[in-house]
Amino acid sequence: MADAPVPEFATPAGVPHHVAIVMDGNGRWAQKRHLPRVAGHKQGVDALRGTVRACLDRGIPVLTVFAFSSENWNRPVEEVSGLMELLALALSREVPKLSESGVRLFFPGDRAGLSKRVVQGLQAAEDKTAQNQRLVLNVCFNYGGRWDIAQAARRLAAAGQEITEQSLAENTALAHVGDPDLMIRTGGEMRISNFLLWQAAYTELFFTPCLWPDFDAAELDRALADFASRERRFGKTSGQLEKPAPGAASVGGLQHA
């Protein structure tokens, strides 16, 4: 859970406030080119860099990506080791550039199983970017939706607090941002794979066969166009929805005058 609150920013009508992405397909991208799987992950870092830039250009204030799930430890040892090295390298190279662009970094996830070097790198990146406000980038690392719900419940139980929907939401690893409006999964699979289980209750889902290393601004725009065409009712009927006033802005997927 974040120590400092993240300010809310209005977004243009039809533009999601919070986009989440399951970055799938790195390994298959590499295998198609007869390259080691880690090569796909390296190319995936480039795709993430471009996606961050595209979100900045489009005025999307929150981007959350699934970088390493709690289940990914079951992958081949050499791939996991390569991912850890890639993370350390990406932190040293990318964080200064991201900070210059006004990006604030968070790394939601369980740090208990990570090396001291990685944990220190994550904390240093969060500290360095703590004052930035153009874009919140949540890089979920060693994260799982079930873990997130369980750790929130444990936190409340340890404090002797009542477990309610509100108190649980306030103690999740992404309590510093609103729920995602749009979740994109690349790679052709049609599931969310234990990502943001609590937060995705009313999230619009967009699945694309595009492998993550090939994901670009044009593919993001296709997802955004699809999102803009949908009617978000949040349990209501179409007739109950209020028509937005001229010039209304959307915050967290809801219309605000």
Side-chain angles (χ1 to χ4, degrees):
M1 201 170 59
D3 294 328
V6 172
E8 284 282 342
F9 296 97
T11 54
V15 176
H17 179 83
H18 182 178
V19 174
I21 305 179
V22 180
M23 305 182 295
D24 193 23
N26 291 333
R28 282 174 285 157
W29 183 93
Q31 289 173 333
K32 285 174 63 176
R33 291 159 177 78
H34 306 289
L35 297 170
R37 290 176 61 87
V38 171
H41 295 301
K42 290 180 179 178
Q43 192 68 27
V45 173
D46 293 339
L48 178 56
R49 186 186 303 115
T51 300
V52 169
R53 186 165 53 248
C55 287
L56 286 167
D57 291 343
R58 287 152 182 77
I60 296 169
V62 183
L63 174 64
T64 299
V65 297
F66 206 5
F68 189 86
S69 79
S70 48
E71 288 78 29
N72 286 157
W73 292 107
N74 297 319
R75 293 191 174 188
V77 174
E78 61 273 15
E79 182 176 354
V80 173
S81 177
L83 279 167
M84 293 300 164
E85 287 300 315
L86 182 59
L87 173 64
L89 183 62
L91 286 172
S92 63
R93 288 183 176 178
E94 302 296 331
V95 170
K97 301 174 187 176
L98 290 169
S99 186
E100 289 176 8
S101 298
V103 176
R104 183 176 182 182
L105 279 161
F106 290 92
F107 294 91
D110 185 3
R111 300 189 185 182
L114 303 178
S115 70
K116 183 178 180 180
R117 176 191 177 196
V118 168
V119 171
Q120 289 176 339
L122 300 182
Q123 188 61 54
E126 289 183 341
D127 292 343
K128 181 177 178 60
T129 63
Q131 302 305 314
N132 297 336
Q133 295 189 3
R134 280 193 69 197
L135 172 72
V136 173
L137 175 58
N138 300 301
V139 180
C140 294
F141 201 86
N142 198 25
Y143 175 90
R146 290 178 175 176
W147 164 84
D148 196 3
I149 296 169
Q151 68 84 27
R154 283 195 300 271
R155 185 193 298 266
L156 290 168
Q161 298 179 35
E162 182 182 3
I163 297 177
T164 65
E165 287 191 22
Q166 181 176 344
S167 65
L168 200 62
E170 290 172 350
N171 282 273
T172 64
L174 283 100
H176 55 286
V177 291
D179 293 343
D181 302 297
L182 171 65
M183 182 185 293
I184 302 167
R185 178 166 185 151
T186 62
E189 303 290 355
M190 296 188 182
R191 57 179 179 269
I192 61 175
S193 296
N194 196 26
F195 185 44
L196 306 181
L197 296 183
W198 178 268
Q199 297 86 350
Y202 280 98
T203 298
E204 300 293 327
L205 306 178
F206 181 87
F207 300 101
T208 172
C210 175
L211 300 177
W212 175 247
D214 293 326
F215 192 86
D216 57 14
E219 193 66 25
L220 175 64
D221 284 340
R222 279 189 278 274
L224 296 178
D226 186 82
F227 173 84
S229 72
R230 302 187 189 186
E231 181 182 72
R232 306 190 73 200
R233 296 188 296 273
F234 298 94
K236 297 181 180 180
T237 66
S238 296
Q240 289 177 296
L241 296 179
E242 294 182 3
K243 298 298 181 183
S250 171
V251 177
L254 295 176
Q255 296 297 330
H256 293 260

